[in-house]
């Protein structure tokens, strides 16, 4: 396939059909189409609405704790002996990750649309908890679809959601993981057309979700860009973020896409290596196909069946990726690189020791790539790593990886 022509700007997509080049779109059942169009209409209304923006900014500030800090990671920088490393501290947000940025935006949208009920999907439970949080804050009943396998292995998050007043519905279809939970949420949405808002958890799904989630998460990159200009007087040389569905990454990347001098790197879950099937590197080892309403890179077997991915970090094992990333990959603007479970675990331990920050295992993938490239960079160069979340949720996983009991 020929490379698409380089556009004047990488920041103008998607088009009216929701396409980023050949990716994205809205491949949904006919019954869902009116809902998708209604959502798009409301989104177009609010996205430049000053009152909506003001309400979101107020909540982001006083409820979520924004702006998040851009922190010079001096300990890690000294340890690596190359470029200066900065962390964008999304781990400091309320509920412990970037997910709250998206949930606050979408709950305000649901309120504007006059919806009465929130549904969401979740894998490890992080998005479920963030959704249950904003539903509690705004007084919405909330149903969270979660694969039965995930319900069994993520019991603390299931309990958190229940405390917050959400109903958790286990999904037994397929392998009982995130992909199946998302199918079930879409099914619920079709049958409860009138009153239900589907609060999607990443920059994927049918148009306009990839766009609106990106725009809610772009606060990360907008802040980081201003903060580095203020703190260093110039743009970074490289920015790095982990890619599950791709929301924290596109949030950091989007405001930098037209800064040609900034190298942009997205990190996929390399799991136990790309040779086998125990990874979740859809852009390095998958092929384009259609899932959850959009065309994008997907992990598929020879028959085109979607495969379950594997990663040490639950937040990275979605077998697809948001369509804008697929487009940025093919256009060459962003590099996508796999990091193995073991490499992420080492970066997790290193960051904890030299920075006194326990990173989420997802974020540790991004740090692991910095660990690889920073030593060969000059001391006056700058790297920003998105610290998408805190690692408290991961201590049991890490303990068992290290052969320890808590
Ligand atoms: C959910 C999650 C991710 C992955 O999701 P994206 O949509 O790719 O950002 C990454 N980091 C943390 C801490 C998460 O909770």
């Amino acid at each position: 396939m020929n490379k698409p022509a380089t556009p004047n700007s990488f920041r103008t997509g998607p088009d009216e059909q929701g396409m980023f080049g050949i990716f994205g779109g809205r491949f949904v059942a006919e019954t869902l189409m009116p809902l998708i169009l209604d959502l798009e209409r409301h989104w177009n209304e609010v996205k430049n609405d000053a009152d909506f923006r003001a309400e979101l900014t107020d909540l982001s500030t006083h409820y979520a704790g924004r702006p998040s800090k851009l922190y010079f990671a001096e300990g890690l920088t000294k340890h690596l002996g190359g470029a200066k490393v900065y962390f964008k501290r999304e781990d400091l947000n309320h509920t412990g990750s970037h997910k709250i940025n998206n949930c606050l935006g979408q709950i305000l949208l649901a309120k504007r649309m006059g919806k009465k009920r929130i549904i969401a999907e979740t894998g490890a439970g992080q998005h479920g908890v963030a959704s249950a949080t904003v539903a509690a804050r705004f007084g919405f009943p909330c149903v969270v679809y979660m694969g039965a396998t995930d319900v069994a292995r993520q019991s603390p998050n299931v309990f958190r959601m229940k405390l917050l007043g959400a109903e958790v519905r286990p999904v037994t279809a397929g392998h009982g993981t995130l992909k199946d939970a998302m199918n079930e949420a879409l099914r619920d949405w079709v049958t409860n057309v009138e009153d239900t808002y589907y609060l999607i958890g990443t920059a994927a799904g049918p148009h306009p979700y990839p766009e609106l989630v990106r725009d809610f998460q772009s606060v990360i990159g907008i802040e980081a860009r201003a903060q580095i200009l203020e703190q260093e007087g110039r743009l970074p040389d490289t920015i790095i973020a982990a890619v599950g569905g791709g929301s924290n990454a596109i949030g950091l990347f989007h405001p930098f896409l037209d800064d040609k001098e900034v190298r942009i790197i997205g990190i996929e879950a390399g799991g136990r290596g790309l040779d086998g099937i125990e990874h979740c590197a859809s852009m390095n080892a998958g092929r384009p196909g259609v899932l959850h309403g959009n065309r994008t890179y997907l992990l598929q077997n020879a028959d085109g069946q979607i495969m379950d991915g594997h990663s040490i970090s639950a937040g990275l094992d979605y077998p697809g990726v948001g369509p804008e990333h697929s487009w940025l990959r093919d256009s060459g603007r962003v590099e996508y690189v796999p990091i193995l479970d073991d490499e992420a675990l080492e970066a997790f331990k290193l960051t904890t020791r030299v920075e006194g920050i326990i990173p989420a295992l997802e974020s540790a993938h991004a740090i692991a790539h910095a660990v690889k490239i920073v030593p060969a960079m000059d001391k006056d160069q700058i790297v920003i790593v998105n610290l998408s979340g805190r690692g408290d949720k991961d201590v049991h996983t890490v303990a068992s990886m290290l052969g320890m009991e808590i």
Side-chain angles (χ1 to χ4, degrees):
M1 192 176 61
N2 291 327
K3 249 187 181 182
T6 305
N8 295 325
S9 170
F10 285 97
R11 304 189 59 205
T12 54
D15 66 18
E16 287 98 79
Q17 301 308 313
M19 301 300 289
F20 299 92
I22 63 164
F23 299 105
R26 40 189 163 209
F27 297 83
V28 297
E30 214 148 310
T31 36
L32 258 186
M33 211 51 195
L35 282 90
I36 295 277
L37 293 174
D38 189 45
L39 175 65
E40 185 185 16
R41 193 168 54 77
H42 280 90
W43 164 240
N44 284 333
E45 246 170 60
V46 303
K47 69 180 168 191
N48 297 312
D49 180 278
D51 291 341
F52 183 86
R53 287 278 143 199
E55 193 175 2
L56 181 55
T57 301
D58 184 64
L59 277 165
S60 300
T61 306
H62 299 104
Y63 188 65
R66 303 209 71 85
S68 71
K69 305 294 184 223
L70 183 70
Y71 163 71
F72 172 46
E74 194 177 358
L76 189 62
T77 299
K78 276 199 181 127
H79 180 87
L80 297 175
K84 293 174 91 166
V85 181
Y86 280 82
F87 287 159
K88 181 60 174 161
R89 297 291 307 274
E90 294 300 300
D91 60 314
L92 297 177
N93 299 337
H94 180 43
T95 69
S97 79
H98 67 289
K99 291 212 166 67
I100 194 77
N101 306 328
N102 171 44
C103 287
L104 284 175
Q106 289 200 58
I107 200 84
L108 291 183
L109 186 52
K111 204 172 70 155
R112 282 280 179 116
M113 294 176 74
K115 298 293 181 182
K116 300 278 178 275
R117 173 177 178 264
I118 301 296
I119 58 171
E121 85 295 337
T122 199
Q126 297 304 113
H127 175 61
V129 169
S131 299
T133 298
V134 297
R137 168 65 181 76
F138 285 91
F140 284 92
C142 177
V143 172
V144 179
Y145 288 95
M146 187 170 186
T149 310
D150 289 331
V151 170
R153 62 185 177 188
Q154 305 289 343
S155 55
N157 274 340
V158 173
F159 186 63
R160 275 184 198 108
M161 287 183 258
K162 288 179 178 167
L163 281 175
L164 289 159
E167 180 196 337
V168 179
R169 289 198 191 154
V171 177
T172 49
H175 290 95
T177 57
L178 175 59
K179 163 173 65 73
D180 312 301
M182 212 153 160
N183 286 334
E184 209 53 41
L186 284 164
R187 214 163 286 148
D188 178 313
W189 200 21
V190 178
T191 45
N192 296 283
V193 183
E194 288 303 317
D195 66 341
T196 297
Y197 183 89
Y198 178 23
L199 207 172
I200 213 163
T202 191
H207 178 66
Y209 281 114
E211 176 190 319
L212 70 87
V213 175
R214 174 199 72 200
D215 284 0
F216 290 138
Q217 291 294 1
S218 288
V219 67
I220 301 171
I222 291 168
E223 285 176 9
R225 201 173 179 285
Q227 287 166 322
I228 201 70
L229 288 174
E230 157 103 30
Q231 290 167 229
E232 289 280 357
R234 69 179 187 86
L235 292 175
D237 297 277
T238 302
I239 61 176
I240 310 174
V243 178
S247 69
N248 87 89
I250 200 69
L252 176 67
F253 296 169
H254 198 258
F256 289 97
L257 287 176
D258 288 337
D259 298 313
K260 292 197 177 64
E261 67 273 37
V262 179
R263 183 178 178 193
I264 306 182
I265 309 176
I267 307 300
E268 295 197 288
R272 301 197 176 98
L274 267 51
D275 301 338
I277 58 165
E278 290 181 295
H279 61 76
C280 220
S282 42
M283 283 183 291
N284 278 283
R287 332 189 277 287
V290 173
L291 178 70
H292 299 142
N294 70 105
R295 176 190 300 281
T296 193
Y297 276 93
L298 301 170
L299 294 181
Q300 313 175 46
N301 68 14
D303 301 329
Q305 294 292 319
I306 307 303
M307 305 201 295
D308 273 298
H310 159 83
S311 170
I312 184 181
S313 78
L316 298 186
D317 69 3
Y318 180 59
V321 63
E324 193 163 8
H325 286 292
S326 293
W327 176 72
L328 288 168
R329 171 204 184 276
D330 279 10
S331 69
R333 176 63 187 98
V334 178
E335 301 160 54
Y336 293 89
V337 178
I339 282 287
L340 304 177
D341 286 352
D342 289 343
E343 295 171 328
L345 186 62
E346 281 309 310
F348 174 97
K349 290 195 287 185
L350 176 65
T351 306
T352 302
R353 235 173 345 95
V354 302
E355 285 297 343
I357 295 172
I358 302 179
L361 278 171
E362 293 85 359
S363 322
H365 282 71
I367 300 169
H369 193 66
V371 169
K372 284 188 181 177
I373 66 170
V374 162
M377 294 174 74
D378 291 337
K379 285 196 158 53
D380 60 0
Q381 290 191 293
I382 298 166
V383 173
I384 297 177
V385 177
N386 203 16
L387 202 67
S388 54
R390 62 176 184 236
D392 307 52
K393 67 183 177 62
D394 294 316
V395 293
H396 282 93
T397 306
V398 170
S400 76
M401 289 282 289
L402 299 175
M404 300 195 289
E405 261 182 59
I406 295 182

